[in-house]
Amino acid sequence: MHSAVFLVEFGAIILGLGLLGRFAGRFRFSPIPLYLLAGLAFGKGGLLPLGASEEFVAIGAEIGVILLLLMLGLEYTASDLVSNLKTQYPAGLVDFALNALPGAAAALLLGWGPVAAVVLAGVTWISSSGVIAKVLGDLGRLGNRETPVILSILVLEDLAMAVYLPIITALLAGVGLAAGSATLAIALGVAGAVLFVAVRYGRLISRFVSSDDPEKLLLVVLGLTLLVAGVAQQLQVSAAVGAFLVGIALSGEVAEGAHALLSPLRDLFAAVFFVFFGLHTDPASIPPVILPALALAVVTALTKIATGYWAARRAGIGVRGRWRAGGTLVARGEFSIVIAGLAVTAGVQPQLGPFATAYVLLLVVVGPLTARFTEPVAAAVTRWRRREGERGGVDAPGTAGFVPPARYDGLSSPQPHAEASLVEPSPIEPSPIEPSPIEHSPVEQSSVEQSSVEPSRGEPSGRRAD
């Protein structure tokens, strides 16, 4: 009976996800928000809580995150990773300053203490690699020029977790400085060793994994990824980081073949991951903390957009790519929930769990939307400002067509007649002592008429420019 209930529940979940994905595809937006809302509906406190399939969904969700990061790593080689890290480390520092500090400040303002401040700093700092990887694929942006910048920031954040998680674990456990330092040293050593092997011996690994039989290639790649991810997590390093580095180590035909074979599995388990996220969120715990969580979400969404824009600008990406990079980084997800879960288990602050859940849920729903619409909205605002600047030049009294320097925003080119309007002011009334035109000879009369017309060229020119 238990087996039958499990099959019914899990089958209903998969069927529902398929229908939601088709609905999202018809309207051309990411299905991630719908997957999360479905998890809320069938989770604790939802409309129809699930019971028999919850454990399997939890395991499937963990596999989903691992496969998302593996597929992300397959897109780039080890040399790409090293060069991006060398050039983008300032962006990682800016990312930390703009996004971790607001979380720490919010915890202190709420009176939760320094340990909770360190926890909430991690929650607001780390973007969701899983959500962003899915969004990049859904929007077809894996080949965009700004994508390496986004991935560099994500990799820096994921590698920083190898340092952050041991620190926060030691703080929550209240261990001494010596024990905490030992845990941190082990984590750094493991991360460094895996990265060294991926960079130095990537070709040998690819040769070992390579196979002409798709079945054998799938089994070897999947088994190696899960093995490395499990060892990394056991040694206090993120399983996602281990999976990403396995993807980096594979290259050439092996990477292409693995990508084609693992894509359907990735899509399946990634959808399960987002449902699992919603399943463990009690809707009744969200309303009491929704306002402060919303305020912090707005602030850190803007700071993430600023981080991506600055990093892409530093890399020489165009304006549209800068806005796309910023909007893509907004989503938070799996790491934030893991960090908050550690704090809740340790009993640091009872409200921290619901607060972090509401915060992440807001941004994991908004994140795919900002990834899609930040660049079009920024372009629309730019066009509006350009029109307003042109309108301001026409309406300025006495300076037809001239845009004052204080109002010129650099978006529209200066009018060609602006200099003439400053040098040649148009006389409005003739001087009282100017002799009457009838006293001049015909030749003088012609010159006077010509001079009375020429100074007014600036004004009609200004009207034509608009």
Side-chain angles (χ1 to χ4, degrees), residues 54-407:
E54 184 174 351
E55 184 176 354
F56 182 82
V57 170
I59 297 173
E62 193 167 355
I63 295 175
V65 175
I66 290 171
L67 290 178
L68 281 170
L69 270 295
L70 169 66
M71 301 294 283
L72 201 60
L74 289 174
E75 298 290 336
Y76 297 92
T77 64
S79 58
D80 292 335
L81 172 66
V82 173
S83 62
N84 285 333
L85 291 180
K86 287 181 179 178
T87 56
Q88 293 298 329
Y89 75 90
L93 298 177
V94 171
D95 181 32
F96 171 79
L98 291 182
N99 298 286
L101 296 182
L108 294 176
L109 290 175
L110 291 170
W112 290 351
V115 175
V118 176
V119 172
L120 197 56
V123 171
T124 59
W125 173 22
I126 306 299
S127 296
S128 172
S129 300
V131 174
I132 292 172
K134 178 66 174 173
V135 168
L136 288 174
D138 290 341
L139 298 179
R141 295 181 182 174
L142 290 175
N144 284 19
R145 286 192 63 202
E146 73 274 5
T147 300
V149 177
I150 297 171
L151 296 181
S152 297
I153 294 176
L154 294 178
V155 172
L156 286 170
E157 290 179 350
D158 290 345
L159 292 176
M161 286 294 96
V163 179
Y164 176 82
L165 287 177
I167 292 175
I168 196 64
T169 303
L171 287 175
L172 294 174
V175 300
L177 180 62
S181 300
T183 303
L184 178 60
I186 293 173
L188 290 177
V190 171
V194 173
L195 183 59
F196 174 79
V197 170
V199 173
R200 188 70 179 270
Y201 302 105
R203 291 185 179 180
L204 293 177
I205 297 173
S206 297
R207 195 175 303 168
F208 168 76
V209 173
S210 179
S211 175
D212 294 333
D213 188 345
E215 178 185 354
K216 296 182 177 63
L217 179 61
L218 173 63
L219 293 175
V220 172
V221 172
L222 184 59
L224 179 63
T225 302
L226 295 176
L227 176 64
V228 173
V231 172
Q233 186 162 328
Q234 188 69 25
L235 295 173
Q236 303 299 321
V237 181
S238 167
V241 173
F244 181 84
L245 294 176
V246 170
I248 289 291
L250 302 178
S251 59
E253 295 181 359
V254 174
E256 295 176 3
H259 192 283
L261 292 171
L262 290 170
S263 291
L265 285 177
R266 177 213 41 198
D267 295 338
L268 170 63
F269 285 106
V272 172
F273 160 71
F274 297 119
V275 170
F276 176 75
F277 186 85
L279 287 175
H280 283 258
T281 302
D282 186 358
S285 65
I286 294 178
V289 294
I290 190 64
L291 290 181
L294 178 61
L296 186 60
V298 171
V299 171
T300 52
L302 295 176
T303 55
K304 274 292 183 182
I305 293 174
T307 299
Y309 187 96
W310 184 88
R313 180 181 180 182
R314 182 176 176 273
I317 308 299
V319 175
R320 296 177 63 183
R322 299 172 197 172
W323 288 116
R324 287 195 296 267
T328 304
L329 288 170
V330 167
R332 272 67 160 188
E334 61 275 6
F335 272 133
S336 300
I337 292 300
V338 168
I339 294 168
L342 292 173
V344 170
T345 302
V348 173
Q349 173 58 239
Q351 289 184 316
L352 183 58
F355 183 92
T357 299
Y359 170 83
V360 173
L361 187 62
L362 286 169
L363 289 184
V364 83
V365 172
V366 171
L369 302 179
T370 59
R372 181 177 176 86
F373 295 112
T374 297
E375 184 265 326
V377 169
V381 172
T382 301
R383 289 193 297 268
W384 176 78
R385 291 180 61 191
R386 183 181 292 117
R387 287 195 299 266
E388 287 298 310
E390 292 174 354
R391 246 187 238 126
V394 173
D395 296 339
T399 57
F402 172 63
V403 181
R407 298 182 61 183

